[in-house]
Amino acid sequence: MQHHRTHTSSAAVENKATKSRRLVFDNRSPSFQDFLQSQQRSSRPLDPKLTQPDKIPYLQTDSEFLGKGKKFFIEVYGCQMNVNDTEILNAIMTKTGYERTTNIDEANVVFLVTCAIRDNAEVRIWERLKYLRHYKTKINSDNPPIVGVLGCMAERLKTKLLEQDRLVDIVCGPDGYRSIPHLISLAEGDEYSEGIANVMLSADETYADVMPMRLDATNTSGWVSIMRGCNNMCSFCIVPFTRGNERSRPIDSIIDEVRYLSDQGVKEVTVLGQNVNSYRDDSESKYFMHNVGLGSSLSNSGFKTIYKRREGGRRFTELLDKVSLINQEMRIRFTSPHPKDFPTDLLHLITSRPNICNSVHLPIQSGSNTVLERMRRGYTREAYLHLVEEMRKIIPDVWISSDIIAGFCGETEAEHQDTVKLMEQMKYDTAFMFAYSMREKTHAHRRYQDDVLESDKTRRLQEIVTTFHKEATKKNKGLVGSTQLVLIDSDKSRNKNGIETNFSGKTDGGHKVFIQERNKDTRLKKGDYVEVQINHSTSASLTGTFLNSSSIRQFAAKRNYSTGVIRDTVAVRNNYRAFLRAGNSAVKKADKGYVTKLIREGFENSRFLTDPEIETKAKNTLDLLKIAGKRKGIEFDIIHNLCQLKHFRDKDNLR
């Protein structure tokens, strides 16, 4: 804990009429300047009141009553990670006695969950804070709320937020949300009227033990954060400095959360991370052994990292495998990945599961090799295109989206044209396109000059946007006449292309579809899967006619898509035989760990429970295991794994 005082606040402390202080928790060690200031202060007589211990509310045992029925209001800006963080905050605040309100006039606390990725995002927050100052002093001066800025902007601009015109009472970074109820308690007093901040970056915080509370219980979609932080250190990116290094949640907590969302009726789950497909969990799991080496390689030989990759642990491919088996009628998406972490195992898994969406976000950032090198992306244009070629071969109907930055440091006109040509070649289904804005602390801020004129950035961005819409328009026209499976996520009436629609939703590829009903007796609702014939398209959306209700497996069967859990026949045979080999291998091998692994391979996976001959095959394997147990002394492990089998069969109603 550090009591940071600005020059003005130090003087204020000496003035007995003012006793306010600022309290900041961060990762900054005292600097040499701090040392010199402390030496200067040491010669002055100490105010006895400054030697008294702080009153720290978070040492109280009744923290669940900190809120005492007070209300909080949340505004969310930025990415899906911020949405998920807000749901974590919602759970933490509710547990400590606060109540969420959607009416700012009722709020005792107002939170802005912020983004720092681009300058425009921060400008919006500053404007909103100015309004909130007006709201506190002019509109609601009788009961002014505490204002808190949370998220990436909070960590990046903590000092400025606290000092500039006293716009903010609380500043809290992405790793400090557990402390927010206690920070509010401190802010409510007079001792720290100059503001309170907790912007400490954690090496292990994942909020794995916090079950997020959804902001909208009627939403058909849910988000599950599986890892936090990033190690890539791309030269343009602020994320490693605002969210810290990569750390992954234990697989058990992720599976439990996805099961919970499934039980709540959620029909689509997106697993989240700043670099989601670099997930690596080395925790002890109660249920899952990991397949050594599965999904641990890079996409191809053209990709590299600037950091040393760690070996071992469960990789993203294994996690996605387990998540997709929870409910085969629940779509699974993931974002935001890095192109380097798409091993062939992952691509085969995506194409083998009808409920894993064939929608892949593949950020390229630039089509120029020299710009990619300055960005420290770890790949070339050629390596990226080779990955796309392999992806389209393994997943023939894959839909690819991307991120593009216009006007990065030193970008020439020729380098910009490389990006335009790549977009023409790729024909992205969706693209997120932005002009570059320099971020402090980044590699680019230290090494490069933001030397591309704003007028050139604007022009180049417009060329990129125009190219995307031109190619997307042509590509989406190819969908006219096709039948798409749409998950309805909205029941708002709209008029699209002169057609009145009452429902809309998304395809597997993420396309927005507005649905026209032939009659009003269809009784559609949010959360329904429906087949829609596409009649009209633009670069951004589709419009079509409702045909009939459906499901993921029904639609897959119509499309000659194997509804088996795995389409790759080699993987099918290997997994299928693993179950039957368990007994024989246990007899032959004395390695207890190896035997346990084989048993778990045989019994943990629910796909074998749909086999009509499973009882006979299980009996034969059990007979072999009983013999092996007596011979090798591993009977306890056998019983343990059989109990797991019963547990999962009971829990999933698969008996």
Side-chain angles (χ1 to χ4, degrees):
M1 181 191 304
Q2 300 175 24
H3 292 180
H4 295 283
R5 300 178 177 85
T6 62
H7 292 295
T8 56
S9 63
S10 295
V13 169
E14 291 184 36
N15 184 347
K16 296 183 179 180
T18 305
K19 302 180 180 62
S20 61
R21 289 192 292 171
R22 177 179 303 143
L23 181 63
V24 177
F25 300 87
D26 62 14
N27 297 82
R28 188 175 75 91
S29 300
S31 66
F32 182 64
Q33 187 66 29
D34 293 329
F35 172 76
L36 292 178
Q37 290 178 356
S38 67
Q39 292 301 303
Q40 293 171 0
R41 289 195 298 265
S42 64
S43 60
R44 303 170 185 167
L46 287 176
D47 184 342
K49 293 183 178 180
L50 294 179
T51 65
Q52 299 301 313
D54 293 318
K55 296 178 181 178
I56 308 297
Y58 51 80
L59 295 180
Q60 299 172 1
T61 58
D62 57 345
S63 61
E64 65 270 22
F65 301 114
L66 285 174
K68 299 177 184 177
K70 295 178 182 178
K71 296 184 178 182
F72 64 98
F73 176 86
I74 309 177
E75 291 182 4
V76 190
Y77 300 83
C79 65
Q80 288 175 318
M81 282 293 293
N82 277 0
V83 176
N84 183 252
D85 280 0
T86 303
E87 294 180 339
I88 291 171
L89 172 64
N90 194 17
I92 291 170
M93 293 293 289
T94 301
K95 187 176 181 180
T96 50
Y98 288 88
E99 178 184 347
R100 178 171 169 255
T101 179
T102 56
N103 183 355
I104 193 172
D105 294 331
E106 298 177 351
N108 304 104
V109 185
V110 174
F111 293 122
L112 304 185
V113 183
T114 64
C115 174
I117 212 77
R118 295 174 191 87
D119 187 60
N120 285 343
E122 292 186 355
V123 169
R124 291 176 63 197
I125 299 300
W126 285 116
E127 292 301 316
R128 186 59 172 160
L129 287 173
K130 290 176 183 177
Y131 167 78
L132 288 175
R133 178 180 59 184
H134 173 75
Y135 177 80
K136 290 176 63 175
T137 57
K138 304 296 184 183
I139 300 176
N140 193 12
S141 57
D142 292 336
N143 187 29
I146 289 173
V147 175
V149 170
L150 318 180
C152 294
M153 184 175 169
E155 200 288 329
R156 196 178 88 81
L157 297 172
K158 51 186 176 291
T159 303
K160 186 176 181 180
L161 284 165
L162 290 174
E163 290 181 351
Q164 184 163 324
D165 299 326
R166 289 290 294 115
L167 295 176
V168 178
D169 303 295
I170 293 173
V171 175
C172 188
D175 293 345
Y177 295 148
R178 294 180 193 270
S179 69
I180 286 177
H182 313 305
L183 299 182
I184 294 172
S185 295
L186 291 170
E188 289 173 335
D190 297 328
E191 188 173 5
Y192 298 109
S193 61
E194 289 192 11
I196 300 170
N198 179 4
V199 290
M200 294 189 71
L201 291 177
S202 171
D204 54 13
E205 178 63 272
T206 63
Y207 300 104
D209 60 327
V210 178
M211 184 63 75
M213 288 185 63
R214 301 171 66 203
L215 300 179
D216 180 4
T218 67
N219 198 332
T220 59
S221 300
W223 295 268
V224 176
S225 173
I226 66 168
M227 54 92 68
R228 302 177 75 85
C230 184
N231 291 343
N232 291 323
M233 300 297 289
C234 299
S235 62
F236 56 84
C237 188
I238 192 66
V239 167
F241 303 96
T242 59
R243 287 187 174 264
N245 294 332
E246 289 178 7
R247 61 270 189 202
S248 299
R249 278 179 64 181
I251 188 171
D252 290 356
S253 70
I254 297 170
I255 296 300
D256 287 343
E257 187 173 336
V258 176
R259 285 183 187 277
Y260 172 78
L261 291 174
S262 177
D263 292 341
Q264 295 295 308
V266 171
K267 293 298 183 69
E268 180 179 277
V269 166
T270 302
V271 293
L272 301 173
Q274 269 76 30
N275 186 19
V276 68
N277 53 341
S278 70
Y279 176 86
R280 190 187 74 89
D281 170 35
D282 55 6
S283 67
E284 291 291 332
S285 170
K286 295 179 181 178
Y287 312 119
F288 304 111
M289 292 288 288
H290 68 268
N291 191 339
V292 178
L294 180 65
S296 61
S297 61
L298 292 175
S299 300
N300 61 51
S301 59
F303 290 84
K304 61 183 180 180
T305 64
I306 66 170
Y307 61 91
K308 184 177 180 180
R309 285 167 57 86
R310 294 184 178 181
E311 300 298 325
R314 301 173 189 83
R315 300 287 180 167
F316 182 67
T317 303
E318 291 183 75
L319 174 68
L320 200 62
D321 174 26
K322 306 301 183 188
V323 168
S324 66
L325 291 172
I326 290 172
N327 181 352
Q328 295 184 45
E329 291 298 332
M330 181 171 66
R331 279 179 173 170
I332 306 297
R333 301 184 187 274
F334 58 92
T335 197
S336 179
H338 190 285
K340 75 178 189 304
D341 292 310
F342 277 95
T344 304
D345 294 331
L346 177 56
L347 302 182
H348 280 292
L349 177 68
I350 294 171
T351 198
S352 71
R353 303 284 168 81
N355 64 327
I356 299 180
C357 293
N358 293 343
S359 173
V360 175
H361 190 57
L362 205 63
I364 179 68
Q365 306 299 354
S366 173
S368 164
N369 280 339
T370 48
V371 174
L372 288 172
E373 184 176 2
R374 291 200 296 277
M375 288 180 166
R376 303 207 299 184
R377 288 293 286 172
Y379 55 82
T380 61
R381 173 193 181 109
E382 291 73 25
Y384 181 92
L385 291 174
H386 177 66
L387 170 61
V388 171
E389 180 183 5
E390 182 183 30
M391 189 175 289
R392 286 175 169 162
K393 181 188 293 185
I394 296 174
I395 316 171
D397 52 351
V398 67
W399 307 95
I400 300 177
S401 59
S402 194
D403 295 338
I404 311 290
I405 295 176
F408 182 67
C409 303
E411 184 186 66
T412 65
E413 195 62 34
E415 291 171 332
H416 163 65
Q417 289 303 319
D418 284 343
T419 299
V420 173
K421 291 174 184 176
L422 180 132
M423 294 190 71
E424 292 173 340
Q425 180 179 352
M426 281 294 306
K427 306 183 190 308
Y428 289 114
D429 297 282
T430 305
F432 302 91
M433 302 156 285
F434 305 94
Y436 174 69
S437 57
M438 179 76 81
R439 303 284 83 187
E440 295 178 5
K441 296 184 180 180
T442 61
H443 179 80
H445 183 257
R446 297 192 302 269
R447 297 290 299 274
Y448 303 131
Q449 295 294 320
D450 187 9
D451 52 2
V452 179
L453 296 175
E454 288 300 320
S455 58
D456 286 338
K457 287 183 183 180
T458 302
R459 174 182 56 80
R460 292 174 186 178
L461 176 60
Q462 188 55 54
E463 288 181 15
I464 288 171
V465 171
T466 300
T467 301
F468 162 72
H469 283 294
K470 180 184 69 174
E471 298 300 332
T473 298
K474 291 189 292 187
K475 191 169 184 180
N476 285 352
K477 279 184 179 179
L479 295 175
V480 174
S482 69
T483 300
Q484 299 291 325
L485 182 67
V486 177
L487 172 61
I488 297 177
D489 58 18
S490 174
D491 52 9
K492 294 181 180 178
S493 298
R494 290 183 174 88
N495 190 293
K496 299 297 294 185
N497 307 307
I499 300 172
E500 182 182 346
T501 64
N502 296 318
F503 298 93
S504 61
K506 287 189 295 186
T507 67
D508 178 275
H511 298 88
K512 187 71 174 178
V513 180
F514 297 93
I515 305 169
Q516 181 185 20
E517 301 164 86
R518 289 176 174 171
N519 59 70
K520 300 300 181 182
D521 298 328
T522 52
R523 296 184 180 179
L524 300 180
K525 63 182 184 302
K526 290 170 64 174
D528 285 349
Y529 287 108
V530 295
E531 294 184 25
V532 177
Q533 185 177 47
I534 304 303
N535 303 322
H536 187 274
S537 70
T538 68
S539 62
S541 66
L542 308 171
T543 305
T545 304
F546 166 77
L547 296 178
N548 54 267
S549 297
S550 188
S551 70
I552 292 177
R553 283 176 288 189
Q554 288 174 1
F555 188 74
K558 287 183 180 180
R559 299 285 294 273
N560 295 319
Y561 192 118
S562 171
T563 56
V565 178
I566 295 182
R567 283 198 285 175
D568 178 49
T569 56
V570 174
V572 170
R573 288 197 297 270
N574 288 342
N575 283 312
Y576 194 67
R577 289 170 180 169
F579 182 87
L580 299 176
R581 284 203 308 265
N584 285 320
S585 299
V587 173
K588 295 175 182 177
K589 278 194 171 276
D591 185 341
K592 180 176 178 179
Y594 178 75
V595 173
T596 304
K597 173 178 177 293
L598 286 174
I599 297 170
R600 286 183 173 172
E601 283 180 353
F603 285 107
E604 76 173 12
N605 210 322
S606 62
R607 64 175 169 266
F608 297 114
L609 300 179
T610 61
D611 187 341
E613 300 179 10
I614 194 67
E615 297 298 337
T616 301
K617 294 173 181 177
K619 182 180 181 302
N620 292 340
T621 301
L622 290 176
D623 289 341
L624 289 168
L625 288 172
K626 288 176 183 177
I627 297 171
K630 292 176 182 177
R631 292 181 179 177
K632 305 298 181 183
I634 59 168
E635 205 157 29
F636 173 80
D637 293 297
I638 296 170
I639 295 171
H640 176 69
N641 284 282
L642 293 181
C643 289
Q644 286 187 38
L645 171 64
K646 185 177 187 305
H647 168 76
F648 281 112
R649 288 180 63 169
D650 290 346
K651 191 168 185 177
D652 298 332
N653 296 318
L654 290 172
R655 280 189 297 177

